[in-house]
Amino acid sequence: MSNTCSAPGCRSNYSGEPYTRVFRLPSNSELREKWLRALHREDIKDLKNVFVWSNHFRTEDVITEMDMPQPDGSLQNISRRPILHKNAIPCLLPSCLKYPSSSSPKPERLDRGKIESKLFSQALEQSLDLHKAEYSKFGVKSLGELKCKLEEFELPSSWVKWF
């Protein structure tokens, strides 16, 4: 029987997928709790059927070779069935935020109308603030004030006769 990976979103060893090496949940309770926290799977009750795909571990955590002593006293490096270092914890979980069966709230869905409305309101506020700043700098309350401000600038004489 093929064992499937318990990491959220992982499809290893499901029907139609190529077989990959999986590791059983450790029997050491402290390490087992670390695995379940790393996988965000504290919800699992049946611990005997928990497996994790080898690609969820760092390369240095998976041992695939060993040194075999030779009759002449030298060591020969040979391939072996993959095993894990004793304190390895699954940490390569790119699609793992939380497992879908957990009771975490769903993220708020983005509404284009709300976003456009919010952006329009922000632009309108900025425009009003800019208008207020420009008005306080150049605004006039009477024609006399306008005439005084215009005298500060060099205007063509044909313009000045209107005032």
Side-chain angles (χ1 to χ4, degrees):
M1 176 181 142
S2 173
N3 298 315
T4 57
C5 183
S6 297
C10 184
R11 301 291 301 162
S12 72
N13 296 344
Y14 282 80
S15 61
E17 299 292 324
Y19 178 78
T20 53
R21 176 77 172 119
V22 291
F23 297 103
R24 187 179 295 275
L25 195 65
S27 56
N28 175 310
S29 62
E30 188 178 319
L31 190 57
R32 181 174 53 238
E33 289 303 315
K34 287 180 182 178
W35 275 39
L36 292 173
R37 272 194 307 276
L39 294 170
H40 300 285
R41 292 300 309 267
E42 292 89 356
D43 62 324
I44 294 177
K45 303 293 183 242
D46 183 16
L47 299 178
K48 67 181 180 204
N49 291 320
V50 176
F51 298 92
V52 180
W53 183 31
S54 61
N55 283 17
H56 295 306
F57 294 90
R58 295 176 307 170
T59 307
E60 56 268 19
D61 288 338
V62 181
I63 302 168
T64 57
E65 298 175 338
M66 65 182 256
D67 292 329
M68 181 72 110
Q70 297 299 306
D72 64 358
S74 65
L75 296 175
Q76 181 184 2
N77 195 322
I78 61 168
S79 295
R80 59 160 294 138
R81 178 179 65 89
I83 61 171
L84 291 174
H85 278 282
K86 69 178 188 173
N87 290 323
I89 296 173
C91 59
L92 303 177
L93 305 160
S95 63
C96 181
L97 296 174
K98 283 273 187 194
Y99 194 71
S101 66
S102 70
S103 58
S104 61
K106 291 183 178 179
E108 184 180 330
R109 189 171 169 219
L110 297 177
D111 182 1
R112 183 176 178 173
K114 286 181 183 177
I115 293 171
E116 286 176 351
S117 176
K118 184 177 180 179
L119 289 174
F120 178 75
S121 296
Q122 288 174 348
L124 186 59
E125 258 182 66
Q126 288 174 353
S127 177
L128 288 173
D129 290 343
L130 183 60
H131 176 71
K132 287 177 187 173
E134 291 293 316
Y135 183 77
S136 67
K137 192 185 331 181
F138 299 110
V140 291
K141 295 183 178 155
S142 69
L143 284 175
E145 227 180 293
L146 176 61
K147 188 174 181 181
C148 289
K149 286 219 180 211
L150 287 174
E151 288 172 354
E152 294 173 11
F153 299 101
E154 292 182 26
L155 298 173
S157 59
S158 60
W159 289 15
V160 177
K161 71 178 181 181
W162 294 99
F163 297 104

CSV table of all heavy atoms in Angstrom, one decimal, residues 6 23-52 57 84-91 93:
chain,number,residue,atom,x,y,z
A,6,SER,N,1.3,13.7,4.8
A,6,SER,CA,0.3,14.4,5.6
A,6,SER,C,0.5,15.9,5.7
A,6,SER,O,-0.2,16.6,6.3
A,6,SER,CB,0.4,13.9,7.1
A,6,SER,OG,0.0,12.5,7.1
A,23,PHE,N,8.5,9.3,5.2
A,23,PHE,CA,9.0,8.9,6.6
A,23,PHE,C,7.8,8.9,7.5
A,23,PHE,O,7.0,9.8,7.5
A,23,PHE,CB,10.1,9.8,7.0
A,23,PHE,CG,11.3,9.8,6.2
A,23,PHE,CD1,11.6,10.8,5.3
A,23,PHE,CD2,12.2,8.7,6.2
A,23,PHE,CE1,12.7,10.8,4.5
A,23,PHE,CE2,13.3,8.7,5.4
A,23,PHE,CZ,13.5,9.7,4.5
A,24,ARG,N,7.8,7.9,8.4
A,24,ARG,CA,6.7,7.8,9.4
A,24,ARG,C,7.0,8.8,10.5
A,24,ARG,O,8.1,9.1,10.8
A,24,ARG,CB,6.7,6.4,10.0
A,24,ARG,CG,5.6,6.1,10.9
A,24,ARG,CD,5.6,4.6,11.4
A,24,ARG,NE,5.4,3.7,10.3
A,24,ARG,CZ,4.2,3.3,9.9
A,24,ARG,NH1,3.1,3.8,10.4
A,24,ARG,NH2,4.1,2.4,8.9
A,25,LEU,N,5.9,9.2,11.2
A,25,LEU,CA,6.0,10.1,12.3
A,25,LEU,C,6.9,9.5,13.4
A,25,LEU,O,6.8,8.3,13.7
A,25,LEU,CB,4.6,10.3,12.9
A,25,LEU,CG,4.4,11.5,13.8
A,25,LEU,CD1,4.6,12.8,13.2
A,25,LEU,CD2,3.0,11.4,14.4
A,26,PRO,N,7.8,10.2,14.0
A,26,PRO,CA,8.7,9.6,15.0
A,26,PRO,C,8.0,9.1,16.2
A,26,PRO,O,7.0,9.6,16.6
A,26,PRO,CB,9.7,10.7,15.3
A,26,PRO,CG,9.2,11.9,14.8
A,26,PRO,CD,8.1,11.6,13.8
A,27,SER,N,8.6,8.1,16.9
A,27,SER,CA,7.9,7.5,18.1
A,27,SER,C,8.3,8.4,19.3
A,27,SER,O,7.5,8.4,20.3
A,27,SER,CB,8.4,6.1,18.3
A,27,SER,OG,9.8,6.0,18.4
A,28,ASN,N,9.4,9.1,19.3
A,28,ASN,CA,9.8,10.0,20.4
A,28,ASN,C,8.7,11.1,20.5
A,28,ASN,O,8.5,11.9,19.5
A,28,ASN,CB,11.2,10.6,20.1
A,28,ASN,CG,11.6,11.6,21.1
A,28,ASN,OD1,10.9,12.6,21.3
A,28,ASN,ND2,12.8,11.5,21.6
A,29,SER,N,8.0,11.2,21.6
A,29,SER,CA,6.9,12.2,21.8
A,29,SER,C,7.3,13.6,21.6
A,29,SER,O,6.6,14.4,21.0
A,29,SER,CB,6.2,12.0,23.1
A,29,SER,OG,7.1,12.3,24.2
A,30,GLU,N,8.5,14.0,22.0
A,30,GLU,CA,9.0,15.4,21.9
A,30,GLU,C,9.2,15.7,20.4
A,30,GLU,O,8.8,16.8,19.9
A,30,GLU,CB,10.2,15.6,22.7
A,30,GLU,CG,10.7,17.0,22.8
A,30,GLU,CD,11.9,17.2,23.6
A,30,GLU,OE1,12.0,16.6,24.7
A,30,GLU,OE2,12.8,18.0,23.2
A,31,LEU,N,9.9,14.8,19.7
A,31,LEU,CA,10.1,15.1,18.3
A,31,LEU,C,8.8,15.0,17.5
A,31,LEU,O,8.6,15.8,16.5
A,31,LEU,CB,11.2,14.0,17.8
A,31,LEU,CG,11.7,14.3,16.4
A,31,LEU,CD1,12.4,15.6,16.3
A,31,LEU,CD2,12.7,13.2,16.0
A,32,ARG,N,8.0,14.1,17.9
A,32,ARG,CA,6.7,13.9,17.2
A,32,ARG,C,5.9,15.3,17.3
A,32,ARG,O,5.3,15.7,16.3
A,32,ARG,CB,5.9,12.8,17.8
A,32,ARG,CG,4.5,12.6,17.1
A,32,ARG,CD,3.8,11.3,17.6
A,32,ARG,NE,3.7,11.3,19.1
A,32,ARG,CZ,4.1,10.4,19.9
A,32,ARG,NH1,4.8,9.3,19.4
A,32,ARG,NH2,4.0,10.4,21.2
A,33,GLU,N,5.9,15.9,18.5
A,33,GLU,CA,5.2,17.2,18.6
A,33,GLU,C,5.8,18.2,17.8
A,33,GLU,O,5.1,19.1,17.2
A,33,GLU,CB,5.2,17.6,20.1
A,33,GLU,CG,4.3,16.7,21.0
A,33,GLU,CD,2.9,16.7,20.6
A,33,GLU,OE1,2.3,17.8,20.3
A,33,GLU,OE2,2.3,15.6,20.5
A,34,LYS,N,7.1,18.2,17.6
A,34,LYS,CA,7.8,19.2,16.8
A,34,LYS,C,7.4,19.0,15.3
A,34,LYS,O,7.1,20.0,14.6
A,34,LYS,CB,9.3,19.1,16.9
A,34,LYS,CG,9.8,19.6,18.2
A,34,LYS,CD,11.3,19.5,18.3
A,34,LYS,CE,11.9,20.0,19.7
A,34,LYS,NZ,13.3,19.8,19.8
A,35,TRP,N,7.3,17.8,14.9
A,35,TRP,CA,6.8,17.5,13.5
A,35,TRP,C,5.4,18.0,13.3
A,35,TRP,O,5.2,18.7,12.3
A,35,TRP,CB,6.9,16.0,13.3
A,35,TRP,CG,8.2,15.4,12.8
A,35,TRP,CD1,9.4,15.8,13.3
A,35,TRP,CD2,8.4,14.4,11.9
A,35,TRP,NE1,10.4,15.0,12.7
A,35,TRP,CE2,9.8,14.1,11.8
A,35,TRP,CE3,7.5,13.6,11.1
A,35,TRP,CZ2,10.3,13.2,11.0
A,35,TRP,CZ3,8.1,12.7,10.2
A,35,TRP,CH2,9.4,12.4,10.2
A,36,LEU,N,4.5,17.7,14.2
A,36,LEU,CA,3.1,18.1,14.0
A,36,LEU,C,3.0,19.6,14.0
A,36,LEU,O,2.2,20.2,13.3
A,36,LEU,CB,2.3,17.5,15.1
A,36,LEU,CG,2.1,16.0,15.0
A,36,LEU,CD1,1.4,15.4,16.2
A,36,LEU,CD2,1.4,15.6,13.8
A,37,ARG,N,3.7,20.3,14.9
A,37,ARG,CA,3.7,21.8,14.9
A,37,ARG,C,4.3,22.3,13.6
A,37,ARG,O,3.7,23.3,13.0
A,37,ARG,CB,4.5,22.3,16.0
A,37,ARG,CG,3.7,22.5,17.3
A,37,ARG,CD,4.4,23.4,18.3
A,37,ARG,NE,5.7,23.0,18.7
A,37,ARG,CZ,6.0,22.0,19.6
A,37,ARG,NH1,5.1,21.4,20.2
A,37,ARG,NH2,7.3,21.7,19.8
A,38,ALA,N,5.4,21.7,13.1
A,38,ALA,CA,6.0,22.2,11.8
A,38,ALA,C,5.0,22.0,10.6
A,38,ALA,O,5.0,22.8,9.7
A,38,ALA,CB,7.3,21.4,11.6
A,39,LEU,N,4.3,20.9,10.7
A,39,LEU,CA,3.3,20.6,9.6
A,39,LEU,C,2.0,21.3,9.8
A,39,LEU,O,1.1,21.3,9.0
A,39,LEU,CB,3.0,19.1,9.6
A,39,LEU,CG,4.2,18.2,9.2
A,39,LEU,CD1,3.8,16.8,9.5
A,39,LEU,CD2,4.5,18.4,7.8
A,40,HIS,N,1.8,22.0,10.9
A,40,HIS,CA,0.5,22.7,11.3
A,40,HIS,C,-0.6,21.6,11.3
A,40,HIS,O,-1.7,21.9,10.8
A,40,HIS,CB,0.2,23.8,10.3
A,40,HIS,CG,1.2,24.9,10.3
A,40,HIS,ND1,1.3,25.8,11.3
A,40,HIS,CD2,2.2,25.2,9.4
A,40,HIS,CE1,2.3,26.6,11.0
A,40,HIS,NE2,2.9,26.3,9.9
A,41,ARG,N,-0.3,20.5,11.9
A,41,ARG,CA,-1.3,19.4,11.9
A,41,ARG,C,-1.5,18.9,13.3
A,41,ARG,O,-1.5,17.7,13.6
A,41,ARG,CB,-0.8,18.2,11.0
A,41,ARG,CG,-0.7,18.5,9.5
A,41,ARG,CD,-2.1,18.9,9.0
A,41,ARG,NE,-3.1,18.0,9.3
A,41,ARG,CZ,-3.5,16.9,8.5
A,41,ARG,NH1,-2.9,16.7,7.4
A,41,ARG,NH2,-4.4,16.1,8.9
A,42,GLU,N,-1.7,19.8,14.3
A,42,GLU,CA,-2.0,19.4,15.6
A,42,GLU,C,-3.4,18.7,15.7
A,42,GLU,O,-3.7,18.1,16.7
A,42,GLU,CB,-2.0,20.6,16.6
A,42,GLU,CG,-0.6,21.2,16.8
A,42,GLU,CD,-0.3,22.3,15.8
A,42,GLU,OE1,-1.1,22.5,14.9
A,42,GLU,OE2,0.8,22.8,16.0
A,43,ASP,N,-4.2,18.8,14.6
A,43,ASP,CA,-5.5,18.2,14.6
A,43,ASP,C,-5.5,16.7,14.3
A,43,ASP,O,-6.5,16.0,14.5
A,43,ASP,CB,-6.3,18.9,13.5
A,43,ASP,CG,-5.7,18.6,12.1
A,43,ASP,OD1,-4.5,18.6,12.0
A,43,ASP,OD2,-6.5,18.5,11.1
A,44,ILE,N,-4.4,16.1,14.0
A,44,ILE,CA,-4.3,14.6,13.7
A,44,ILE,C,-4.5,13.8,14.9
A,44,ILE,O,-3.8,14.0,15.9
A,44,ILE,CB,-3.0,14.3,12.9
A,44,ILE,CG1,-3.0,15.0,11.6
A,44,ILE,CG2,-2.9,12.8,12.8
A,44,ILE,CD1,-1.7,14.7,10.8
A,45,LYS,N,-5.4,12.9,14.9
A,45,LYS,CA,-5.7,12.0,16.0
A,45,LYS,C,-5.0,10.6,15.8
A,45,LYS,O,-4.5,10.0,16.7
A,45,LYS,CB,-7.2,11.8,16.2
A,45,LYS,CG,-7.9,13.1,16.5
A,45,LYS,CD,-7.5,13.8,17.8
A,45,LYS,CE,-8.3,15.0,18.0
A,45,LYS,NZ,-7.6,16.2,18.1
A,46,ASP,N,-5.1,10.1,14.6
A,46,ASP,CA,-4.5,8.7,14.3
A,46,ASP,C,-3.1,8.9,13.9
A,46,ASP,O,-2.7,9.0,12.7
A,46,ASP,CB,-5.3,8.1,13.1
A,46,ASP,CG,-4.9,6.7,12.8
A,46,ASP,OD1,-4.2,6.1,13.6
A,46,ASP,OD2,-5.2,6.2,11.7
A,47,LEU,N,-2.2,8.8,14.9
A,47,LEU,CA,-0.7,9.1,14.7
A,47,LEU,C,0.0,8.0,13.9
A,47,LEU,O,1.1,8.2,13.4
A,47,LEU,CB,-0.1,9.4,16.0
A,47,LEU,CG,-0.6,10.6,16.7
A,47,LEU,CD1,0.1,10.8,18.1
A,47,LEU,CD2,-0.5,11.9,15.9
A,48,LYS,N,-0.6,6.8,13.9
A,48,LYS,CA,0.1,5.7,13.2
A,48,LYS,C,0.1,5.8,11.7
A,48,LYS,O,0.9,5.1,11.1
A,48,LYS,CB,-0.4,4.3,13.7
A,48,LYS,CG,-1.8,4.0,13.2
A,48,LYS,CD,-2.3,2.7,13.7
A,48,LYS,CE,-3.7,2.5,13.3
A,48,LYS,NZ,-4.5,1.6,14.0
A,49,ASN,N,-0.7,6.6,11.2
A,49,ASN,CA,-0.8,6.7,9.7
A,49,ASN,C,-0.3,8.1,9.2
A,49,ASN,O,-0.8,8.6,8.2
A,49,ASN,CB,-2.2,6.5,9.2
A,49,ASN,CG,-2.6,5.0,9.4
A,49,ASN,OD1,-1.8,4.2,9.1
A,49,ASN,ND2,-3.8,4.8,9.8
A,50,VAL,N,0.6,8.7,9.9
A,50,VAL,CA,1.1,10.0,9.5
A,50,VAL,C,2.5,9.8,8.9
A,50,VAL,O,3.4,9.2,9.5
A,50,VAL,CB,1.3,11.0,10.7
A,50,VAL,CG1,1.9,12.3,10.3
A,50,VAL,CG2,-0.1,11.2,11.4
A,51,PHE,N,2.6,10.3,7.6
A,51,PHE,CA,3.8,10.1,6.9
A,51,PHE,C,4.2,11.5,6.3
A,51,PHE,O,3.3,12.3,6.0
A,51,PHE,CB,3.6,9.1,5.7
A,51,PHE,CG,3.3,7.7,6.2
A,51,PHE,CD1,2.0,7.3,6.3
A,51,PHE,CD2,4.4,6.9,6.5
A,51,PHE,CE1,1.7,6.0,6.8
A,51,PHE,CE2,4.1,5.6,7.0
A,51,PHE,CZ,2.8,5.2,7.1
A,52,VAL,N,5.5,11.7,6.1
A,52,VAL,CA,5.9,13.0,5.5
A,52,VAL,C,6.9,12.7,4.3
A,52,VAL,O,7.8,11.9,4.5
A,52,VAL,CB,6.6,13.9,6.5
A,52,VAL,CG1,7.1,15.2,5.9
A,52,VAL,CG2,5.6,14.2,7.7
A,57,PHE,N,12.1,17.7,3.9
A,57,PHE,CA,13.3,17.8,4.8
A,57,PHE,C,14.4,18.4,4.0
A,57,PHE,O,14.6,18.2,2.8
A,57,PHE,CB,13.7,16.4,5.3
A,57,PHE,CG,12.6,15.8,6.2
A,57,PHE,CD1,11.6,15.0,5.6
A,57,PHE,CD2,12.6,16.0,7.5
A,57,PHE,CE1,10.6,14.4,6.4
A,57,PHE,CE2,11.7,15.4,8.3
A,57,PHE,CZ,10.7,14.6,7.8
A,84,LEU,N,16.4,9.3,8.1
A,84,LEU,CA,16.6,10.7,8.6
A,84,LEU,C,17.6,10.7,9.7
A,84,LEU,O,17.7,9.8,10.5
A,84,LEU,CB,15.2,11.2,9.1
A,84,LEU,CG,14.2,11.4,8.1
A,84,LEU,CD1,12.8,11.8,8.8
A,84,LEU,CD2,14.6,12.5,7.1
A,85,HIS,N,18.2,11.9,9.8
A,85,HIS,CA,19.0,12.1,11.0
A,85,HIS,C,18.1,12.1,12.2
A,85,HIS,O,16.9,12.4,12.1
A,85,HIS,CB,19.7,13.5,10.9
A,85,HIS,CG,21.0,13.5,10.2
A,85,HIS,ND1,22.2,13.0,10.7
A,85,HIS,CD2,21.2,13.9,8.9
A,85,HIS,CE1,23.1,13.1,9.8
A,85,HIS,NE2,22.6,13.7,8.7
A,86,LYS,N,18.6,11.8,13.4
A,86,LYS,CA,17.7,11.6,14.5
A,86,LYS,C,16.9,12.8,15.0
A,86,LYS,O,15.8,12.6,15.5
A,86,LYS,CB,18.4,11.0,15.7
A,86,LYS,CG,19.4,11.9,16.4
A,86,LYS,CD,20.1,11.3,17.6
A,86,LYS,CE,20.9,12.3,18.4
A,86,LYS,NZ,21.4,11.7,19.6
A,87,ASN,N,17.3,14.0,14.7
A,87,ASN,CA,16.5,15.2,15.1
A,87,ASN,C,16.0,16.0,13.9
A,87,ASN,O,15.7,17.2,14.1
A,87,ASN,CB,17.4,16.1,16.0
A,87,ASN,CG,17.7,15.5,17.3
A,87,ASN,OD1,16.9,14.8,17.9
A,87,ASN,ND2,18.9,15.7,17.8
A,88,ALA,N,15.8,15.4,12.8
A,88,ALA,CA,15.3,16.0,11.6
A,88,ALA,C,13.9,16.4,11.8
A,88,ALA,O,13.1,15.6,12.3
A,88,ALA,CB,15.5,15.2,10.4
A,89,ILE,N,13.5,17.6,11.3
A,89,ILE,CA,12.1,18.1,11.4
A,89,ILE,C,11.8,18.6,10.0
A,89,ILE,O,12.6,19.3,9.4
A,89,ILE,CB,12.0,19.3,12.4
A,89,ILE,CG1,12.4,18.8,13.8
A,89,ILE,CG2,10.6,19.9,12.4
A,89,ILE,CD1,12.4,19.8,14.9
A,90,PRO,N,10.6,18.3,9.5
A,90,PRO,CA,10.2,18.8,8.2
A,90,PRO,C,10.1,20.3,8.2
A,90,PRO,O,9.4,20.9,9.1
A,90,PRO,CB,8.8,18.1,8.0
A,90,PRO,CG,8.3,17.7,9.3
A,90,PRO,CD,9.5,17.5,10.1
A,91,CYS,N,10.8,20.9,7.3
A,91,CYS,CA,10.8,22.4,7.3
A,91,CYS,C,10.6,23.0,5.9
A,91,CYS,O,10.4,24.2,5.8
A,91,CYS,CB,12.0,22.9,7.9
A,91,CYS,SG,13.5,22.4,7.0
A,93,LEU,N,8.1,23.4,3.5
A,93,LEU,CA,6.7,23.3,3.2
A,93,LEU,C,6.2,24.6,2.6
A,93,LEU,O,5.5,25.4,3.2
A,93,LEU,CB,5.9,23.1,4.6
A,93,LEU,CG,6.4,21.9,5.4
A,93,LEU,CD1,6.1,22.1,6.8
A,93,LEU,CD2,5.9,20.7,4.8
